[in-house]
Amino acid sequence: MSIQTDHFYNNFSFLYPMVDVFLKPQKRRLFEEINTLPYGQLLEIGVGNGKHLPLYSIHKITGIDTSSAMLEIATKQKYPNIELLQMNGEQLLFPDQSFDYVILSHVIAVVDDPERLLQEIHRVLKPYGKIFILNHFTPHNWLKYVDQSFQPLSRIFHFKSLFYIDSISSIKKFRLLKETSFGHFSYFKLLIYGKA
Ligand SMILES: C[S@@+](CC[C@H](N)C(=O)[O-])C[C@H]1O[C@@H](n2cnc3c(N)ncnc32)[C@H](O)[C@@H]1O
């Protein structure tokens, strides 16, 4: 995690609810998947302001984030079964095979080193554990030019507008179990991978 990304999210935390309006329908779909899984230990990396935390209806939840400002908002809501910690997803402080599920909601294109993030997730996931990745993925059609044109702006907002999941070689450590697309252009997707 870079200091710049951390500063950005610390300063931007009060504006995040406006961004969240656009992300809500996909998050609802994500939680439909998560809440039908058998009870387990769940880690959410980049939990942000935690406004979605009430949507978790089962599981033992641990949420982490590097931004103290985002976590401060998240901890204002009191949920007895949810533990929130300041921690870097690229350098997890949990023992190997601690979790059944890991959630990355609009985080994988934000972290500095997605390779390291996925390696760490692979380490802390139990055998047959699952990872849920909700994000924008640059489509292999004309929309890639839109993502390209947004690149200078996206640097200011600390995310990768041009983002292909297959460009992260550590994703090959997982097996794709399910892919759900949202909208006509399939710009946002929910990808579910399993640890073999
Ligand atoms: C775009 S927000 C997404 C927040 C939330 N998951 C959501 O879907 O609304 C990205 C979040 O990831 C956090 N973040 C960025 N890099 C991180 C890292 N290396 N480890 C943990 N959290 C990180 C940021 O502080 C921010 O809160």
Side-chain angles (χ1 to χ4, degrees):
M1 170 229 24
S2 72
I3 291 165
Q4 289 94 325
T5 307
D6 210 21
H7 279 172
F8 173 76
Y9 277 100
N10 279 340
N11 295 326
F12 174 67
S13 60
F14 75 101
L15 276 178
Y16 197 74
M18 285 198 278
V19 176
D20 211 21
V21 170
F22 298 99
L23 310 179
K24 262 193 182 141
Q26 314 140 31
K27 284 192 188 171
R28 239 177 264 125
R29 186 75 190 85
L30 169 69
F31 279 92
E32 277 167 28
E33 292 280 353
I34 295 169
N35 290 330
T36 53
L37 296 166
Y39 174 85
Q41 305 290 322
L42 183 150
L43 172 65
E44 181 173 347
I45 298 176
V47 69
N49 64 14
K51 291 292 174 211
H52 56 283
L53 291 175
L55 297 176
Y56 284 114
S57 63
I58 49 171
H59 309 302
K60 168 75 183 75
I61 314 293
T62 305
I64 66 158
D65 205 290
T66 45
S67 159
S68 54
M70 286 292 215
L71 279 175
E72 203 180 307
I73 301 170
T75 45
K76 277 191 186 134
Q77 314 160 71
K78 302 262 182 266
Y79 302 107
N81 292 328
I82 299 179
E83 185 181 20
L84 296 172
L85 303 166
Q86 189 169 17
M87 197 187 293
N88 184 356
E90 294 154 62
Q91 214 174 336
L92 293 171
L93 303 176
F94 304 109
D96 297 355
Q97 303 188 4
S98 303
F99 295 97
D100 300 282
Y101 313 114
V102 174
I103 312 301
L104 294 176
S105 169
H106 301 289
V107 167
I108 196 162
V110 166
V111 297
D112 290 340
D113 188 349
E115 290 287 358
R116 183 90 192 110
L117 178 75
L118 288 182
Q119 283 160 15
E120 277 293 83
I121 292 171
H122 193 266
R123 182 181 67 74
V124 300
L125 262 184
K126 295 179 187 174
Y128 306 106
K130 290 181 178 168
I131 165 169
F132 294 73
I133 306 178
L134 176 62
N135 218 81
H136 77 273
F137 297 97
T138 301
H140 295 281
N141 59 29
W142 59 269
L143 276 169
K144 68 179 172 211
Y145 300 112
V146 178
D147 276 4
Q148 262 167 18
S149 67
F150 268 101
Q151 263 185 309
L153 196 66
S154 70
R155 268 183 221 116
I156 299 168
F157 288 97
H158 294 273
F159 75 100
K160 300 162 190 72
S161 66
L162 200 62
F163 185 72
Y164 298 99
I165 192 75
D166 293 334
S167 67
I168 312 171
S169 62
S170 308
I171 200 70
K172 295 187 185 82
K173 290 172 171 244
F174 301 91
R175 194 162 50 91
L176 183 63
L177 303 174
K178 189 170 175 182
E179 176 172 334
T180 306
S181 299
F182 302 96
H184 297 303
F185 301 119
S186 302
Y187 190 64
F188 291 101
K189 282 182 185 169
L190 171 61
L191 304 180
I192 306 175
Y193 288 88
K195 177 176 171 176

